[in-house]
Amino acid sequence: MNNNNFWELINRSKEHGEEQVEWLTNELTKQKTDEIFNFEIEFRNKMDQSYTPSLWGAAFVIMGGCSDDGIDYFRGWLISRGEELFNKALKNPEYLAEYFTEDNLQEDVFAPQLEEILSVASDAYTYQNTGEIEYDDEINTKFLDELEARGYKFEPIEIELDWEEEDLEERYPLLWGKFGENPLT
């Protein structure tokens, strides 16, 4: 699965609204095991690419705070919205103020956090191995070992936030104007 196939699958999954994650997991269970791993590697690469101080600051404003887990769930949500929004938000996180129109806020079934998307590939792999999606420690270890064998490095990315909470209003004026007093979460 290459970058284009990854985004095509994400875009098709968006058509399923609240069932997006379930649909995506189900689609991956139908793929060859290699495709599940390729999807996971693409997904993790997008997660790594979006782990930036500027995107974290934007998420902090939008949600009225953003923990370590919160930024993971935010980035999962961002990926779930597709390539166009992903790239625009990476280039300029203030673009999210433009994205969150009244229509998008009403239509977007996820309040910009989507924890469940972080495990779609491992859930699909688990299903292929056990016939169930329930977490299985042994299968999860096997999944992670296989990812590493396929060249994915589990090296934590260290980022240093280049902002303080009191700087966010000035740094993100558009987002602050929209969410500073009324965050989404």
Side-chain angles (χ1 to χ4, degrees):
M1 177 169 300
N2 62 29
N3 185 58
N4 291 335
N5 293 353
F6 174 85
W7 287 121
E8 181 181 313
L9 193 57
I10 292 293
N11 285 334
R12 286 179 36 222
S13 74
K14 286 172 27 181
E15 298 169 9
H16 298 276
E18 290 183 22
E19 277 77 45
Q20 179 181 12
V21 172
E22 291 82 4
W23 183 88
L24 192 52
T25 303
N26 188 47
E27 283 300 302
L28 287 174
T29 65
K30 299 174 190 175
Q31 303 294 318
K32 293 180 180 178
T33 303
D34 283 345
E35 288 303 305
I36 292 173
F37 283 106
N38 291 338
F39 177 90
E40 179 70 3
I41 290 168
E42 281 294 322
F43 185 84
R44 286 177 182 249
N45 286 337
K46 306 286 182 267
M47 289 290 287
D48 291 350
Q49 186 182 358
S50 61
Y51 192 50
T52 66
S54 60
L55 198 57
W56 197 332
F60 196 99
V61 173
I62 292 167
M63 296 185 294
C66 190
S67 67
D68 291 345
D69 289 343
I71 191 61
D72 289 346
Y73 308 157
F74 179 82
R75 291 179 295 141
W77 166 83
L78 185 61
I79 293 166
S80 81
R81 300 297 81 209
E83 182 177 21
E84 182 179 353
L85 180 61
F86 180 82
N87 288 331
K88 285 182 177 182
L90 283 184
K91 186 175 180 180
N92 178 12
E94 280 270 272
Y95 174 76
L96 292 167
E98 190 176 315
Y99 171 79
F100 284 115
T101 63
E102 288 301 318
D103 288 342
N104 279 347
L105 287 171
Q106 289 176 1
E107 288 177 20
D108 205 333
V109 295
F110 310 111
Q113 295 186 33
L114 188 55
E115 177 181 3
E116 296 81 13
I117 201 166
L118 303 180
S119 64
V120 294
S122 62
D123 288 347
Y125 181 78
T126 298
Y127 184 83
Q128 282 189 343
N129 281 272
T130 66
E132 296 180 18
I133 291 183
E134 295 300 316
Y135 178 82
D136 180 297
D137 194 47
E138 184 178 319
I139 298 296
N140 189 59
T141 299
K142 191 172 150 185
F143 180 76
L144 296 175
D145 289 346
E146 182 63 25
L147 268 178
E148 198 164 354
R150 291 170 182 258
Y152 185 81
K153 303 277 189 239
F154 290 96
E155 297 172 6
I157 298 172
E158 297 292 328
I159 65 170
E160 193 170 316
L161 298 180
D162 57 359
W163 50 266
E164 297 290 332
E165 196 172 333
E166 57 270 4
D167 302 329
L168 296 176
E169 181 175 6
E170 185 176 322
R171 183 164 178 172
Y172 302 99
L174 298 175
L175 287 170
W176 192 269
K178 194 168 246 183
F179 303 110
E181 299 299 319
N182 296 304
L184 292 181
T185 57

